[in-house]
């Protein structure tokens, strides 16, 4: 598989510390993004008819000026084998005349980079690391919101907000992803609630007592399973599961949320009283 890209050039050379000035060299203006690939073929022609040579730099990122490799000078067209460089992510190129005479970007009538990718096959089909996987079934309008689209010249996504034109200052909008280790070790989004993984304290056999604040509104599956808890107290409107607590663990409830002096009413067997509508009955202490 191949992909051909036309690249613009600017005056100057590339040294070990970055861009340098030169009237006998021209270079690619930016770091050119590269996914893992098999090889790269560079072609160029000059309107002057002079022979051209190229120098190829490879980088692991687009910040460092220290290349993974520096290959020079090669007559064009020339194909480079890049399969050994697994950390290759960006390239830059320098062009000059073989006689090292003065050169300008305007004298280059054509400059192309052709990428060659490797396809591979497994039990699920034929794949290429540089190409997106095709969906198993055809997608029809209306497309799902979770699908990336091209709008103008950039990808857009209906679920994620557009990048703002100006820096965002506090207070940040709810629609912004953020990282706060006090909330989660993963990026979280205030519009998408964070689900605590099932079994947060499961198997902590030495856990005999826990105070669950009255403000807690949900306790996940197996949160306290296989612990030594004998009794817990939660809010009457706290959602929990049959597996949230150990078997035979007594679940009590805080009194009326608006009256701290209320307690739950029990019958003579010690069972919690619930009326015909399923509401728990409370009584003043």
């Amino acid at each position: 598989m191949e992909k051909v890209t036309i690249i613009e050039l600017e005056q100057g050379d590339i040294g070990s510390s970055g861009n340098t000035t030169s009237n006998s060299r021209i270079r690619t203006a930016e770091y050119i993004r590269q996914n893992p690939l098999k090889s790269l073929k560079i072609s160029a022609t000059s309107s002057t008819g002079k022979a051209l040579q190229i120098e190829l730099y490879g980088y692991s990122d687009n910040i460092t000026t220290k290349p993974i490799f520096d290959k020079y000078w090669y007559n064009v067209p020339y194909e480079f084998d890049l399969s050994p460089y697994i950390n290759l992510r960006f390239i830059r190129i320098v062009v000059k005349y073989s006689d090292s005479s003065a050169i300008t970007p305007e004298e280059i009538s054509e400059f192309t980079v052709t990428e060659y990718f490797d396809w591979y096959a497994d039990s699920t089909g034929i794949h290429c690391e540089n190409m997106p996987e095709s969906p198993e079934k055809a997608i029809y309008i209306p497309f799902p919101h979770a699908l990336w689209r091209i709008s103008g010249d950039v990808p857009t996504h209906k679920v994620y907000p557009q990048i703002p034109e100006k820096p965002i200052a506090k207070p940040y909008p709810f629609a912004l992803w953020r990282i706060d280790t006090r909330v989660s070790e993963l990026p979280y989004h205030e519009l998408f609630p964070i689900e605590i993984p099932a079994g947060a304290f499961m198997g902590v056999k030495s856990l005999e007592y826990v105070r669950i604040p009255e403000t807690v509104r949900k306790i996940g599956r197996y949160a306290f399973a296989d612990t030594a808890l004998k009794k817990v107290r939660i809010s009457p409107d706290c959602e929990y599961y049959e597996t949230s607590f150990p078997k035979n663990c007594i679940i009590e409830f805080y009194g009326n949320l608006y009256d701290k002096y209320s307690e739950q009413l029990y019958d003579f067997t010690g069972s919690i009283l619930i009326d015909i509508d399923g509401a728990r009955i409370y009584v003043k202490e």
Side-chain angles (χ1 to χ4, degrees), residues 37-229:
L37 47 76
K38 177 182 178 182
S39 63
L40 196 74
K41 181 180 179 180
I42 302 175
S43 302
T45 57
S46 169
S47 59
T48 66
K50 291 183 179 181
L52 294 169
Q53 292 183 323
I54 53 172
E55 181 176 9
L56 176 65
Y57 294 85
Y59 302 89
S60 59
D61 58 59
N62 60 348
I63 300 175
T64 182
T65 58
K66 184 179 180 180
I68 299 173
F69 59 76
D70 178 1
K71 300 177 180 292
Y72 61 94
W73 292 95
Y74 296 87
N75 296 327
V76 293
Y78 192 86
E79 184 173 334
F80 297 90
D81 178 16
L82 301 178
S83 56
Y85 304 103
I86 58 175
N87 295 326
L88 176 63
R89 293 296 179 269
F90 295 87
I91 62 168
R92 296 193 73 188
I93 304 166
V94 175
V95 183
K96 75 177 184 70
Y97 286 131
S98 57
D99 62 3
S100 296
S101 58
I103 187 174
T104 65
E106 291 73 25
E107 296 174 14
I108 303 301
S109 55
E110 179 188 10
F111 188 80
T112 60
V113 174
T114 305
E115 304 169 48
Y116 296 92
F117 312 127
D118 265 341
W119 290 88
Y120 65 93
D122 59 23
S123 59
T124 62
I126 301 175
H127 314 276
C128 180
E129 290 185 354
N130 297 70
M131 301 295 172
E133 294 291 319
S134 299
E136 295 181 0
K137 298 180 180 179
I139 298 177
Y140 300 96
I141 295 176
F143 300 126
H145 287 302
L147 194 69
W148 285 94
R149 304 157 167 79
I150 298 294
S151 176
D153 297 326
V154 296
T156 61
H157 199 296
K158 288 191 175 182
V159 175
Y160 302 108
Q162 297 297 307
I163 299 175
E165 296 181 358
K166 297 180 180 180
I168 298 177
K170 290 183 177 180
Y172 301 128
F174 288 124
L176 195 69
W177 286 93
R178 59 200 76 198
I179 295 178
D180 187 341
T181 54
R182 295 171 298 178
V183 178
S184 172
E185 293 182 356
L186 302 174
Y188 76 97
H189 195 297
E190 292 192 18
L191 298 184
F192 299 100
I194 297 173
E195 285 287 338
I196 297 176
F201 299 96
M202 183 172 63
V204 183
K205 299 184 183 298
S206 59
L207 182 62
E208 298 180 356
Y209 170 80
V210 62
R211 181 184 180 277
I212 300 175
E214 194 172 345
T215 54
V216 172
R217 291 293 177 266
K218 184 174 182 179
I219 299 173
R221 291 181 174 86
Y222 304 102
F224 298 97
D226 197 23
T227 64
L229 285 179

